[in-house]
Amino acid sequence: MKTILITGGSGLIGNHLTQLLRQEGYGVIHLSRKKGSSNVTTYEWNPDAGEIDDAAIANADYIIHLAGANVAEHRWTKKYKAEILRSRTQSAALIYAALERTPNKVQAIISASAIGYYGDRGDEWLQEDAPPANDFLATTCLQWEAAVNKISALNKRIVILRTGIVLSKDGGALPPLVQPIRFGIAPIFGNGQQYYPWIHIDDLCRMYLHAINNETMRGAYNAVAPTPERFYALMNTIAKVMHRKKLNIPLPMFALEMVLGEFVKSLAMSTRCSADKMVGSGFEFRYRELEAALKALVGK
């Protein structure tokens, strides 16, 4: 039985992915700041202090790297922006150091990244070779990926999944959009015409499994559904599958930014990502269309 080590395993994606991997017959272990924080065998690490239990590395056949401070959890102060970047780059550097000094059998590292790599690009179709933007999210993704790619020097296969907006009923972006629609209100960010590259959480977890099993996969892949939708369409489809009428309420972005900080700008970004490379790798989507994904999550 192959063993998968997950960093950030207690988060939304990590929890779903742990369940899928176990169903598929894999052993799963976690790296966490708190030992025994879940019902999974858990090893301790502290990326800020450069501390890691090397036994986690020694016992792993694959590493899935999800760890990183939640970009939407706090106001983007200068201190928290530094934490967002540091939590990603330092953790990847710690994995590199542990792999370098610890005899191991790790075959591949599959790491999260984000579609924030591309920035606000309007209607442009974005393949993985598109250049990065130069804003904070893009710079974070660029340094994050560079820290992970360094591990390839240890003769490890590297796959990076630039993740879109994850749709799940258990957390993430969807519940805050669903809740106001229950009351007949649809908050609209920006002009509503921006593309949102979405992905059903089940398909995202299956992409990680696909990256483990497909040894030809290397480099960056857009982890998005093949059909990115404009924000208006997203809100309309949520209301449709919930059988609710709604009133669109444009939100003053400058006021939101004053209250919530710089993160608000990302809500109005248009990022039209292509899934062609993922499809070309042999991955088969269960949820190619937004309506089917939303029916599975919030439909009655």
Side-chain angles (χ1 to χ4, degrees):
M1 178 176 68
K2 298 293 187 180
T3 298
I4 315 299
L5 172 62
I6 303 179
T7 74
S10 62
L12 176 66
I13 297 168
N15 274 319
H16 280 259
L17 185 54
T18 295
Q19 293 175 31
L20 173 64
L21 291 171
R22 284 176 156 179
Q23 289 169 8
E24 293 294 322
Y26 289 93
V28 179
I29 56 178
H30 287 177
L31 266 174
S32 174
R33 291 177 182 270
K34 295 181 180 180
K35 191 171 184 178
S37 60
S38 70
N39 63 351
V40 178
T41 298
T42 303
Y43 299 87
E44 290 184 89
W45 75 336
N46 185 339
D48 292 336
E51 298 171 352
I52 185 172
D53 187 340
D54 288 346
I57 301 297
N59 288 327
D61 294 287
Y62 297 88
I63 298 174
I64 292 178
H65 183 37
L66 304 176
N70 189 329
V71 297
E73 195 168 78
H74 297 286
R75 180 183 174 87
W76 281 11
T77 61
K78 183 177 181 180
K79 180 179 179 181
Y80 194 63
K81 286 170 71 175
E83 170 62 15
I84 288 171
L85 176 59
R86 185 175 63 251
S87 64
R88 287 158 170 78
T89 56
Q90 284 189 353
S91 57
L94 188 54
I95 292 171
Y96 175 92
L99 285 166
E100 188 176 37
R101 68 172 174 260
T102 306
N104 66 84
K105 53 185 176 176
V106 173
Q107 298 176 43
I109 291 85
I110 298 96
S111 177
S113 183
I115 51 90
Y117 178 95
Y118 303 108
D120 187 4
R121 305 290 276 270
D123 293 352
E124 178 187 358
W125 275 106
L126 297 165
Q127 309 282 350
E128 287 78 358
D129 59 357
N134 58 7
D135 58 16
F136 169 70
L137 282 179
T139 300
T140 296
C141 290
L142 197 62
Q143 294 186 36
W144 185 7
E145 293 184 15
V148 174
N149 280 323
K150 183 181 176 182
I151 302 172
S152 65
L154 302 178
N155 197 29
K156 307 299 183 185
R157 179 169 64 92
I158 305 296
V159 180
I160 292 174
L161 300 185
R162 292 178 183 157
T163 310
I165 297 161
V166 181
L167 300 184
S168 169
K169 62 183 178 182
D170 300 320
L174 186 58
L177 298 177
V178 167
Q179 189 60 27
I181 288 180
R182 296 188 191 280
F183 299 98
I185 297 171
I188 303 299
F189 302 121
N191 62 14
Q193 296 300 317
Q194 67 271 30
Y195 277 98
Y196 268 31
W198 60 274
I199 180 78
H200 190 293
I201 192 165
D202 288 355
D203 275 341
L204 177 60
C205 291
R206 290 175 57 248
M207 285 179 181
Y208 279 96
L209 178 61
H210 180 64
I212 289 170
N213 292 328
N214 188 340
E215 295 183 0
T216 66
M217 288 182 69
R218 295 176 184 270
Y221 292 78
N222 291 334
V224 297
T227 53
E229 295 282 358
R230 297 185 189 272
F231 186 70
Y232 265 129
L234 171 63
M235 299 307 287
N236 289 341
T237 308
I238 293 174
K240 178 181 178 181
V241 301
M242 292 177 64
H243 305 289
R244 297 290 180 124
K245 294 182 178 180
K246 63 175 176 61
L247 177 65
N248 291 335
I249 305 293
L251 300 180
M253 300 303 287
F254 69 92
L256 283 177
E257 187 176 349
M258 290 178 62
V259 175
L260 300 176
E262 186 183 342
F263 168 71
V264 168
K265 292 180 180 178
S266 68
L267 300 176
M269 286 184 178
S270 182
T271 314
R272 195 183 189 189
C273 295
S274 167
D276 288 352
K277 186 178 179 183
M278 182 61 73
V279 172
S281 74
F283 183 78
E284 296 182 2
F285 285 88
R286 288 181 180 168
Y287 300 99
R288 297 180 64 91
E289 303 295 335
L290 179 62
E291 185 170 345
L294 290 172
K295 281 183 176 178
L297 293 168
V298 298
K300 293 183 178 179

